[in-house]
């Protein structure tokens, strides 16, 4: 009983039963079989390896490319009093050795590491000495040249199977085409593995694609005529901010979310959305991991996604409670042009990558042959502005360097303010007599930070704002006065990116070594974007059937609820007299815009427009100076 999957599930996670194919995957692993499991977004992938690992003696090795996901899972396990470790990037050698010692001798159950870590001899030597009960390769599609997130370092994961042939290997991914599945099995050395798939069909989600001339109008109409929580996915951070502000200005509660926000602000916005304090979250794809809100009624794509894998995964965040939901993609001619332009910016060639890599090393003053395992934080706009580089191409170049394991890239936003008072005490006292507005702040700093005279001190800005009743901008302004007048040295630093250099600097040789992989990567990106365009343009085949066939799942029965299926239904008959009566009633009550009419009345826009055209032609109504329709007297 105590060593049964359901007992472990209930004891540590509090669930009474498994869902989807979780139990089938767990049973396969427990029987010692290598397994490839395809579980949809929100399908509870982590349960499939955490439960069996808890049932067996030894430690479970989990390979994942996502530092944030590793950190989250380790913290979640610790909160359940399960011993787990993560070998995140940028660890000094001594710290890495200490953590590996803990994993070897400390009775830990889980060790998370990146594929890049797996290439280090120190890590490999420790793994050889461990009693490993299960090997897990998360995001396994990264091993495939045809996968949307190919990472060459993942090819090294095969070493685990070769070194531990009797330990079951579990490869996990949310979705993969048949070609990618075969690549996974081959490159991980598990050709005879059991393949467990869960149907990707989500019959409660209506996939809708609309080619429109005014996306903003369509979005506003949708949100005003419906209820329920919504996510709007955009590609740019500024776009998220602007859209959230526009929605707020039109009376719709909204927030924005992107990777550049401080962790505290991310958590605050996420909590507001989960608690329904805001209805709409305008977000980049950074709003994904850990998002498990069951009652999302709409997932809306404002921009054309880069891949159908991304689209399907993000759309799958709708309707997890099983109730009807919609995944809607609005696009126009300009969006297709922008998608093609963004793709050209996304595809980084070797000459640009060499330039970017050289500038990156120059920025951090790294000499030839040095830099390996160096950890650096910087404010990205400062970097690209200094070297007059394209921000989009530069960021995409950093992502390529990350995928090719030259660097490890993570978004870590922080602000750090340090102050060192350099003026002698008598001089400072005299200065404060003529700058009395600074007196209270300086006295607080001297009392709170006794060492501020001898060295730079990191200031706790939130605490200072609270205790001095000054806001952040006022404090910075006052500290700048001290700095400019020679009383102190102020450093106000901001960072939104952290980089770990995985290899010593070798300039052209470093980039030449990845040229073949980069060429294949760019070719795959082009193919994946073309698949998205084909999906948009196919207005005949059921959207659900198209998506399932893309991932290798056959379905012949149209869903009946997607935009293509609805378009084939005979148009519903609308009583023109009823429409005219309702329109006339509203027009007589007050001046009103056409958009307000569309929202207020439960009829199709085209039918309302026909009535308005007729009334305007007969001069029974007219537009006033506020662009409102009024009845002619």
């Amino acid at each position: 009983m105590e060593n049964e999957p359901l007992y472990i599930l209930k004891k540590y996670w509090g669930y009474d039963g498994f869902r989807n194919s979780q139990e089938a995957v767990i049973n396969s692993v427990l029987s010692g079989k290598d397994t490839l499991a395809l579980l949809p977004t929100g399908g509870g992938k982590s349960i499939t390896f955490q439960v069996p690992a808890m049932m067996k003696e030894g430690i479970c090795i989990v390979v994942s490319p996502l530092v944030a996901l590793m950190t989250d899972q380790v913290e979640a396990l610790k909160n359940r009093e399960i011993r787990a470790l993560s070998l995140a990037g940028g660890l000094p050698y001594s710290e890495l050795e200490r953590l590996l010692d803990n994993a070897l001798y400390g009775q830990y159950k889980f060790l998370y590491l990146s594929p890049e870590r797996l290439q280090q001899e120190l890590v490999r030597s420790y793994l050889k000495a461990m009693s490993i009960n299960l090997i897990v390769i998360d995001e396994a599609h990264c091993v495939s040249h045809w996968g949307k997130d190919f990472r060459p370092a993942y090819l090294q994961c095969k070493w685990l199977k070769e070194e531990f042939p009797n330990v079951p290997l579990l490869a996990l991914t949310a979705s993969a085409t048949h070609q990618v599945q075969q690549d996974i099995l081959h490159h991980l050395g598990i050709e005879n593995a059991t393949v467990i798939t869960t149907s990707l069909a989500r019959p409660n989600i209506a996939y809708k694609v609309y080619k429109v001339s005014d996306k903003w109008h369509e979005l506003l109409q949708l949100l005003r005529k419906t209820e329920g929580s919504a996510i709007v996915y955009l590609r740019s951070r500024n776009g998220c901010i602007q859209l959230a502000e526009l929605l707020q200005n039109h009376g719709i509660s909204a927030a924005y979310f992107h990777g550049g926000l401080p962790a505290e602000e991310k958590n605050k916005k996420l909590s507001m959305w989960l608690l329904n304090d805001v209805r709409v979250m305008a977000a980049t794809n950074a709003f994904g991991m850990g998002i498990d809100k069951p009652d999302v009624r709409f997932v809306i794509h404002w921009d054309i996604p880069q891949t159908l894998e991304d689209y399907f995964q993000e759309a799958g965040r709708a309707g997890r409670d099983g109730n009807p939901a919609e995944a809607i993609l609005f696009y126009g001619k300009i969006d297709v042009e922008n998608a093609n332009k963004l793709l050209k910016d996304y595809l980084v060639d070797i000459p640009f990558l060499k330039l970017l890599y050289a500038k990156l090393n120059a920025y951090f003053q790294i000499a030839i042959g040095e830099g390996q395992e160096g950890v650096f934080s910087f404010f990205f706009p400062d970097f690209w502005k200094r070297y007059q580089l394209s921000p989009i191409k530069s960021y995409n170049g950093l992502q390529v360097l990350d995928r090719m394991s030259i660097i490890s890239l993570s978004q870590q936003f922080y602000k750090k303010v340090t102050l060192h008072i350099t003026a002698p005490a008598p001089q400072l006292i005299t200065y404060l007599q003529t700058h009395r507005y600074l007196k209270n702040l300086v006295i607080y700093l001297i009392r709170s930070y006794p060492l501020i005279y001898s060295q730079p001190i990191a200031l706790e800005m939130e605490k200072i704002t609270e205790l001095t009743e000054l806001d952040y901008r006022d404090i910075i302004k006052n500290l700048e006065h001290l700095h400019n007048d020679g009383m102190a040295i102020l450093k106000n630093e901001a960072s939104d990116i952290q980089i770990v250099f995985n290899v010593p600097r070798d300039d052209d040789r470093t980039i030449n070594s990845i040229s073949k992989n980069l060429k294949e990567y760019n070719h795959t990106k082009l193919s994946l974007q073309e698949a998205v365009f084909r999906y948009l343009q196919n207005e005949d085949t059921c959207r659900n059937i198209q998506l399932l066939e893309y991932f290798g799942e056959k379905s012949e029965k149209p869903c009946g609820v997607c935009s293509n299926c609805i378009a084939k239904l005979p148009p519903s008959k609308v009583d023109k007299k009823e429409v005219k009566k309702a329109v006339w009633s509203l027009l007589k009550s007050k001046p009103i815009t056409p958009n307000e009419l569309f929202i207020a009345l439960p009829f199709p826009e085209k039918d309302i427009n026909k009535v308005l055209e007729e009334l305007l032609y007969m001069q029974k109504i007219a537009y006033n100076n506020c662009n409102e329709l009024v009845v002619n007297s």
Side-chain angles (χ1 to χ4, degrees):
M1 178 68 181
E2 291 188 4
N3 204 33
E4 290 184 2
L6 277 174
Y7 175 82
I8 297 295
L9 181 72
K10 181 68 175 177
K11 178 180 178 181
Y12 292 100
W13 285 272
Y15 299 133
D16 293 317
F18 295 104
R19 53 194 173 114
N20 297 324
S21 301
Q22 285 178 329
E23 192 167 15
V25 177
I26 290 168
N27 288 336
S28 178
V29 168
L30 288 174
S31 65
K33 297 176 183 176
D34 294 327
T35 308
L36 168 59
L38 284 77
L39 293 169
T41 302
K45 287 191 295 177
S46 60
I47 290 290
T48 63
F49 64 84
Q50 289 172 350
V51 167
M54 291 298 295
M55 296 172 61
K56 302 169 75 173
E57 290 294 324
I59 190 168
C60 173
I61 305 301
V62 185
V63 179
S64 172
L66 305 171
V67 174
L69 182 58
M70 287 194 287
T71 303
D72 278 5
Q73 289 200 7
V74 167
E75 287 304 310
L77 288 167
K78 287 179 178 177
N79 290 337
R80 293 184 171 91
E81 298 184 352
I82 299 172
R83 294 171 70 80
L85 282 172
S86 169
L87 304 182
L91 292 171
Y93 185 90
S94 58
E95 178 67 5
L96 176 61
E97 193 169 29
R98 184 187 70 80
L99 289 171
L100 287 167
D101 267 334
N102 288 344
L104 183 59
Y105 301 112
Q107 295 183 325
Y108 281 83
K109 293 302 296 181
F110 296 92
L111 177 63
Y112 286 76
L113 65 159
S114 67
E116 287 78 17
R117 280 283 180 221
L118 194 57
Q119 298 178 69
Q120 294 179 287
E121 281 305 317
L122 175 67
V123 174
R124 289 190 175 193
S125 63
Y126 266 91
L127 290 177
K128 289 176 185 178
M130 292 180 191
S131 175
I132 299 173
N133 63 27
L134 178 62
I135 298 164
V136 180
I137 311 297
D138 200 9
E139 307 296 333
H141 56 271
C142 293
V143 79
S144 171
H145 287 275
W146 304 104
K148 69 183 182 73
D149 294 317
F150 171 61
R151 297 173 74 95
Y154 255 68
L155 297 171
Q156 300 296 320
C157 292
K158 189 175 184 178
W159 175 85
L160 285 166
K161 192 60 196 173
E162 293 170 343
E163 191 64 34
F164 308 100
N166 297 322
V167 177
L169 185 149
L170 172 60
L172 292 165
T173 184
S175 59
T177 64
H178 179 72
Q179 187 177 32
V180 171
Q181 290 179 42
Q182 294 305 306
D183 254 13
I184 291 171
L185 297 174
H186 172 69
H187 288 305
L188 294 181
I190 54 170
E191 284 86 351
N192 297 320
T194 299
V195 179
I196 297 174
T197 60
T198 301
S199 174
L200 297 176
R202 295 284 301 280
N204 65 310
I205 298 180
Y207 298 96
K208 297 181 177 180
V209 178
Y210 296 114
K211 190 173 183 180
V212 298
S213 57
D214 188 344
K215 290 193 294 184
W216 168 245
H217 169 73
E218 299 293 338
L219 177 63
L220 205 56
Q221 296 288 82
L222 172 71
L223 294 175
R224 281 179 168 170
K225 284 196 168 188
T226 60
E227 295 180 350
S229 189
I231 308 172
V232 183
Y233 278 111
L234 302 93
R235 283 196 179 185
S236 81
R237 296 178 179 182
N238 285 338
C240 294
I241 297 169
Q242 291 167 6
L243 186 65
E245 289 176 350
L246 269 172
L247 290 170
Q248 290 166 3
N249 292 339
H250 284 77
I252 296 171
S253 62
Y256 61 87
F257 190 106
H258 58 70
L261 295 173
E264 185 179 347
E265 190 172 349
K266 284 181 181 176
N267 291 334
K268 181 181 177 182
K269 289 177 182 290
L270 176 57
S271 295
M272 289 171 63
W273 186 70
L274 291 173
L275 295 171
N276 291 319
D277 291 335
V278 294
R279 181 188 176 194
V280 181
M281 185 65 79
T284 63
N285 59 7
F287 190 68
M289 188 178 63
I291 307 305
D292 197 14
K293 184 174 168 62
D295 60 343
V296 178
R297 300 274 66 86
F298 301 96
V299 171
I300 300 151
H301 280 81
W302 189 258
D303 298 309
I304 295 174
Q306 289 180 305
T307 70
L308 285 178
E309 285 87 347
D310 291 336
Y311 170 71
F312 193 72
Q313 187 174 41
E314 289 159 2
R317 296 191 176 107
R320 289 189 179 175
D321 56 5
N323 293 324
E326 297 184 20
I328 301 172
L329 196 162
F330 292 125
Y331 81 102
K333 182 181 177 182
I334 189 70
D335 293 297
V336 176
E337 294 171 1
N338 286 339
N340 281 316
K341 181 180 181 302
L342 283 169
L343 183 61
K344 288 178 182 177
D345 288 332
Y346 194 95
L347 300 179
V348 180
D349 57 20
I350 289 293
F352 180 80
L353 210 54
K354 286 181 177 179
L355 172 67
L356 179 70
Y357 183 63
K359 296 302 183 186
L360 198 61
N361 282 286
Y363 187 83
F364 295 116
Q365 299 181 330
I366 297 172
I368 297 291
E370 297 182 359
Q372 187 172 15
E373 291 299 309
V375 183
F376 301 89
S377 295
F378 69 120
F379 193 52
F380 181 59
D382 179 60
F383 171 72
W384 62 261
K385 285 177 182 175
R386 180 180 299 189
Y387 296 110
Q388 297 181 321
L389 300 170
S390 159
I392 295 175
K393 212 167 190 69
S394 297
Y395 185 71
N396 291 334
L398 292 178
Q399 288 186 310
V400 169
L401 291 173
D402 172 65
R403 294 210 177 281
M404 302 298 165
S405 302
I406 305 301
I407 64 172
S408 293
L409 174 72
S410 62
Q411 295 178 337
Q412 292 194 347
F413 185 91
Y414 77 88
K415 286 185 177 179
K416 184 178 179 183
V417 179
T418 60
L419 189 75
H420 180 196
I421 295 179
T422 54
Q427 183 183 353
L428 185 62
I429 292 170
T430 302
Y431 174 81
L432 292 177
Q433 287 173 350
T434 55
H435 297 76
R436 301 188 68 84
Y437 64 94
L438 296 173
K439 183 179 177 181
N440 290 339
L441 175 60
V442 172
I443 290 174
Y444 170 81
L445 293 175
I446 292 170
R447 286 178 176 171
S448 301
Y449 304 99
L451 296 177
I452 202 165
Y453 272 113
S454 58
Q455 65 188 46
I457 297 294
L459 304 182
E460 299 171 281
M461 296 301 290
E462 288 185 15
K463 187 176 178 182
I464 296 171
T465 56
E466 182 181 340
L467 296 177
T468 62
E469 296 183 355
L470 293 169
D471 66 25
Y472 182 90
R473 284 175 295 182
D474 288 337
I475 293 171
I476 293 296
K477 188 176 179 181
N478 289 343
L479 295 178
E480 286 173 346
H481 287 169
L482 289 170
H483 176 87
N484 294 334
D485 292 340
M487 297 294 107
I489 296 173
L490 169 70
K491 283 190 176 180
N492 185 9
E493 301 171 310
S495 167
D496 60 357
I497 287 179
Q498 185 186 79
I499 286 176
V500 180
F501 284 84
N502 294 324
V503 297
R505 179 181 178 183
D506 201 8
D507 286 359
D508 285 4
R509 285 187 181 182
T510 301
I511 305 305
N512 287 337
S513 68
I514 62 171
S515 59
K516 181 183 177 183
N517 284 331
L518 180 61
K519 185 178 179 180
E520 291 175 344
Y521 181 76
N522 285 343
H523 175 72
T524 299
K525 285 294 175 185
L526 279 167
S527 300
L528 292 172
Q529 183 72 84
E530 287 168 1
V532 175
F533 290 146
R534 287 196 297 273
Y535 174 73
L536 297 183
Q537 293 160 4
N538 186 341
E539 297 181 349
D540 295 322
T541 308
C542 166
R543 295 285 176 193
N544 188 55
I545 289 177
Q546 288 185 58
L547 290 168
L548 292 178
E549 286 185 350
Y550 177 80
F551 291 109
E553 186 175 338
K554 293 295 181 183
S555 177
E556 297 178 0
K557 184 180 178 182
C559 68
V561 292
C562 73
S563 52
N564 285 359
C565 287
I566 291 173
K568 293 177 181 178
L569 297 174
S572 56
K573 293 183 178 180
V574 177
D575 189 331
K576 185 179 177 182
K577 291 181 179 178
E578 286 295 319
V579 178
K580 191 169 184 179
K581 180 180 178 183
V583 169
W584 189 247
S585 177
L586 271 178
L587 288 171
K588 285 198 299 182
S589 66
K590 61 178 180 179
I592 192 169
T593 65
N595 279 347
E596 289 170 338
L597 270 173
F598 299 149
I599 293 166
L601 299 176
F603 304 111
E605 282 188 27
K606 59 182 180 63
D607 295 303
I608 296 173
N609 270 324
K610 285 179 182 177
V611 171
L612 293 179
E613 287 170 6
E614 182 182 321
L615 293 173
L616 284 166
Y617 178 76
M618 296 171 65
Q619 296 186 356
K620 289 188 175 182
I621 59 173
Y623 282 100
N624 64 14
N625 293 333
C626 299
N627 205 33
E628 296 170 322
L629 290 164
V630 294
V631 175
N632 285 327
S633 53

